Amino acid sequence: MTPTDEVETRPDEIVVECEMEASPQTLWRALTEEELLADWLGARPAAEGEDAMEGPRYRIVEAEPYDRLRYAWHDPSCPDAPPFVTIELEPIAGGRTRFRLTHGQVVARAPAIRAANSNTPPLALAA
């Protein structure tokens, strides 16, 4: 998970960050099992070809176990809401987890350039 001071947020995003008294594995289960997710977020999985929907629906579009999860999200009561929910989990001391939920558009971010060795910052190549 990216430290908070390095994350860029946009004005059209909703970001919720907190520390949870549970491990990333426990939270992962709550975020990926249909029955538990329905209890926690009040959403059900979207069925293929489903037109008429009542209540929020989701479809998992990215999953890195115990680290990052992204849902395509649709709530007919909020048709203008951003279409993605991204959840990032980071283990912290005491079996707890730093939890970050971002509801917004998916924006492709350029990966950080890092040195292959321990140089920080990376050394410039001579021309």
Side-chain angles (χ1 to χ4, degrees):
M1 179 174 179
T2 308
T4 304
D5 58 352
E6 294 179 16
V7 174
E8 293 179 30
T9 58
R10 298 169 23 149
D12 58 344
E13 290 180 331
I14 298 169
V15 178
V16 177
E17 293 181 324
C18 61
E19 292 182 5
M20 306 286 274
E21 296 289 333
S23 70
Q25 293 80 5
T26 299
L27 292 173
W28 186 262
R29 182 172 174 242
L31 293 165
T32 58
E33 291 187 16
E34 289 181 24
E35 299 80 21
L36 298 174
L37 188 61
D39 286 343
W40 199 15
L41 297 181
R44 297 185 319 191
E48 285 294 322
E50 186 175 45
D51 290 331
M53 295 192 300
E54 292 182 19
R57 299 294 176 106
Y58 68 91
R59 181 174 44 85
I60 296 175
V61 295
E62 178 185 344
E64 296 175 30
Y66 317 119
D67 184 50
R68 181 182 175 91
L69 185 63
R70 179 171 290 139
Y71 305 106
W73 189 268
H74 177 72
D75 185 347
S77 67
C78 303
D80 296 330
F84 292 97
V85 173
T86 303
I87 296 173
E88 297 167 289
L89 306 173
E90 179 184 0
I92 54 178
R96 301 168 60 211
T97 303
R98 185 167 290 116
F99 176 94
R100 178 182 172 93
L101 181 147
T102 304
H103 192 161
Q105 301 288 338
V106 172
V107 177
R109 294 185 175 127
I113 298 172
R114 300 185 193 277
N117 55 20
S118 62
N119 292 335
T120 305
L123 297 176
L125 297 175

